[in-house]
Amino acid sequence: MIILGISCYYHDSAAALLKDGEIVAAVQEERLTRVKHDADFPNEAIVFCLKKAKVSLKDVDAIVYYEKPFVKFERILETFFSQAPRGFWQFFRSLPRWLKEKLYLKKLLVDELRNIDKTVSRRILSDKILFSEHHLSHAASAYYPSPFSKAAIVTLDGVGEWVTTSLAVGNGEKIDFLKEIHFPHSLGLLYSAFTYYLGFKVNGGEYKVMGLAPYGTPRYVEQIYKELLYLAEDGSFQLNLKHFDYLTGATMIRKSFEEIFSQPRRLPESEVLEFHMDIAASIQQVIEEVILKISAEVHRQTGLDHLCLAGGVALNCVANGKLLKQGLWKNIWVQPAAGDAGGALGAALAAHFLHFKNQRAASSADSMHGSLLGPEYSAAEIETFLNEQGIQFRTYEENDLLVEVVEKLIDQNVVGWHQGKMEFGPRALGARSILADPRDQQMQKRLNLKIKYRESFRPFAPAIAKEESAHWFDMEGESPYMLMVADVKKEKRHALSVEEQNLKGFKALQVPRSEVPAITHVDYSARVQTVDEHSEPLFRKLLLKFQETTGCPLLVNTSFNVRGEPIVCSPYDSLRCFMSTEMDVLVLGPHLIEKTKQTVSKEQFERVFPLD
Amino acid sequence: MSFLSEIWMFLKVRKKYWLLPILITLLILGILVVFAQGTAVSPFIYTLI
């Protein structure tokens, strides 16, 4: 049985394909079109999935869209009538797209699918299309690939049809919902409102708020609870809607929101002040407190040992780390593509188990295959490409390649690392990564300003061989998808003078806080990726080789892209990114390319991406 | 036709029959919007506006 899952028309469109319940392929459209957060129909992603599974649309048994458009339209209508006449223009502006396209989504999907394969009739395609529910898709993406036969499930995001938060139980092939919180009360929208207030882009800048939070003091927590959010003991919450504009307007917040904090919204790209850091710290603490209460409630209701998480808010790895520390759960499994892209996978899984009633046998093996579900390129393909481009390169046997790369890293070179299948989800996990030596104090600044061209405050994450993580971080269990934050162990930290301890804001960055300063945030936290031998053997060997030579088993692992660019996918994307930044070395499969040895002009590779 | 039957199923399952007159109005509006792109009906639309 072959099932194709699709998510699109909001943000981060994607496609995923299951073959007899096995996840064969999944990719976000943005990686192929090179348009960040591309929301269009995932034409190229579907073509890739079909090609990977060696099937055509004719062979597909079901095509599952990740949410229900009618119910979403019902929400839009009811919201309009509840607020009218306020929000008339916003409603009026959104109507044409709904009336011309979105309401006839089935027809639209058939038209788009026929552009891929005209030999399949409209009738056949139409009969194959199913619609999941937004939060069911999230819950399915979290539970079915997890190694648990029974688990509690929490989904948290901005909004789907109506649901913004759901608590559920996964048991065998069944998912039963215990509780839902509905729009307009939304944890995701609350966090996005603060993202907007802090001058970052909604639906993308949220992780900047999370990265900014450790620089500040959470001095506005009380005000947030007093003016913006009512939180009950069981984790239920309500927003004070009079301060939010998203019900009726085109922005997230109203003037009264700014008045609560006596400061106007920060303008994008303007200076980040201590106030902004304090606001980020405050909303981060509030979000964590809400999530911890929800976790306690679902644990109380289910009494289960395992928790699965999905939805955009589940990408808040700091909150996930706190959940782990809460100690209620033996295991926590977070879907690596927790945002809407993962909805494509969840929709397909939900159809497989709930609609077609297939049996599920939980497996301890990672059915997400390390989230390495995207395109890959053979050494021969890459070699031909490099020759065509006139690039100077050397080809190595595996061990020699690792020795050479480690030498380059020790010499403080920044290395682009492109190996095997591309990751599905927002994190680079060692297939499309930029790697660097974490022991260098200047590396964080250099990577931010000269390689990634992004804000200097943004932290970097470490990748570490799984068995070594307990020696370096206060973390039990694993974090294969870089979705847990843990503190650097006390014995790895440097003692700070009183003066150094009192440094505030970005000045705190100047102080080396541990043996690995490039990945140690100012609060000693790090977003850890543990690497095991099954999912990424080559990357793990590189980490161990680096340890063998330096005694340090970690590398800085950041996504292979510049600010505003989707993570690279093809050898061309990697070469283009490499040539247009100050990256020193690029490893494409077994081929190693050094910037200093290139004679081709850099200009041909330059491309400007809109800032995110 | 399948679209209309799906809309009816949706209203039935969700028990949101009160949305029916609104949806009919919007669908007529939608049809006009689509036809308005062709020249034959445009003058009619313009007089409405």
Side-chain angles (χ1 to χ4, degrees), chain A residues 268-513:
Chain A
E269 307 308 317
S270 64
E271 194 186 352
V272 177
L273 307 171
E274 200 178 321
F275 166 75
H276 304 121
M277 299 172 198
D278 293 345
I279 287 285
S282 305
I283 187 60
Q284 179 62 32
Q285 184 176 316
V286 168
I287 288 290
E288 287 164 16
E289 286 172 3
V290 180
I291 293 175
L292 288 176
K293 281 207 156 72
I294 291 171
S295 154
E297 174 63 11
V298 74
H299 187 264
R300 187 189 67 76
Q301 283 198 32
T302 64
L304 293 169
D305 291 331
H306 312 299
L307 175 67
C308 300
L309 288 173
V313 181
L315 291 170
N316 193 312
C317 43
V318 181
N320 296 345
K322 296 271 164 74
L323 275 177
L324 206 59
K325 268 192 183 166
Q326 192 183 21
L328 292 175
W329 308 98
K330 274 190 191 161
N331 291 294
I332 297 176
W333 195 89
V334 188
Q335 163 58 237
D340 279 3
L345 177 61
L349 287 163
H352 181 78
F353 290 109
L354 300 174
H355 183 77
F356 293 108
K357 301 193 186 313
N358 287 298
Q359 296 288 305
R360 173 179 184 262
S363 158
S364 59
D366 178 14
S367 58
M368 281 296 292
H369 305 289
S371 210
L372 303 173
L373 298 163
E376 67 178 326
Y377 303 85
S378 70
E381 273 178 287
I382 298 170
E383 187 174 346
T384 309
F385 163 74
L386 292 175
N387 284 326
E388 281 168 7
Q389 297 287 323
I391 298 293
Q392 304 296 313
F393 64 96
R394 280 171 294 155
T395 305
Y396 291 87
E397 290 296 320
E398 185 180 284
N399 194 51
D400 296 338
L401 179 74
L402 297 177
V403 171
E404 186 70 20
V405 173
V406 165
E407 263 178 40
K408 298 286 179 203
L409 287 164
I410 292 169
D411 290 343
Q412 305 309 310
N413 289 296
V414 176
V415 177
W417 180 256
H418 173 131
Q419 298 291 343
K421 293 175 192 161
M422 185 183 66
E423 303 89 342
F424 179 51
R427 302 273 170 264
L429 301 169
R432 302 290 185 275
S433 291
I434 295 173
L435 307 176
D437 187 344
R439 300 167 303 161
D440 181 0
Q441 166 63 17
Q442 296 308 314
M443 193 53 85
Q444 193 255 6
K445 201 170 174 187
R446 186 178 165 219
L447 279 171
N448 268 334
L449 300 180
K450 296 200 167 176
I451 312 286
K452 305 271 286 184
Y453 304 123
R454 66 183 201 183
E455 300 90 339
S456 63
F457 67 84
R458 307 268 298 275
F460 286 101
I464 184 166
K466 185 178 154 188
E467 65 275 21
E468 289 294 327
S469 67
H471 301 132
W472 287 77
F473 302 102
D474 289 325
M475 189 178 75
E476 283 178 31
E478 55 180 355
S479 173
Y481 301 124
M482 211 185 260
L483 285 167
M484 295 286 168
V485 159
D487 290 338
V488 174
K489 275 212 171 291
K490 286 213 164 62
E491 54 268 33
K492 303 291 181 190
R493 297 181 189 177
H494 288 163
L496 301 188
S497 67
V498 178
E499 203 176 285
E500 286 173 330
Q501 281 173 24
N502 289 334
L503 285 175
K504 286 263 163 63
F506 297 156
K507 283 183 188 152
L509 263 180
Q510 296 156 7
V511 183
R513 288 171 184 269

Side-chain angles (χ1 to χ4, degrees), chain A residues 12-16 25-52 116 373-377 418 421-424 432 565-573 607 609:
Chain A
D12 296 303
S13 66
V27 66
Q28 291 129 283
E29 185 73 355
E30 65 160 24
R31 304 291 170 85
L32 304 167
T33 59
R34 312 307 299 152
V35 178
K36 188 97 169 165
H37 301 305
D38 195 343
D40 280 350
F41 182 79
N43 198 307
E44 295 194 34
I46 292 172
V47 170
F48 161 74
C49 288
L50 294 172
K51 199 173 154 195
K52 182 77 199 303
I116 293 171
L373 298 163
E376 67 178 326
Y377 303 85
H418 173 131
K421 293 175 192 161
M422 185 183 66
E423 303 89 342
F424 179 51
R432 302 290 185 275
E565 180 188 16
I567 296 176
V568 298
C569 175
S570 68
Y572 174 77
D573 303 333
R607 185 176 161 189
F609 291 93

Side-chain angles (χ1 to χ4, degrees), chain A residues 74 78 100 103-104 106, chain B residues 3 6 10 14 16 37:
Chain A
E74 170 200 307
E78 286 194 25
K100 279 169 72 179
L103 215 46
Y104 314 98
K106 200 167 185 178
Chain B
F3 171 74
E6 278 165 16
F10 154 72
R14 301 281 302 168
K16 295 278 170 101
Q37 289 169 340

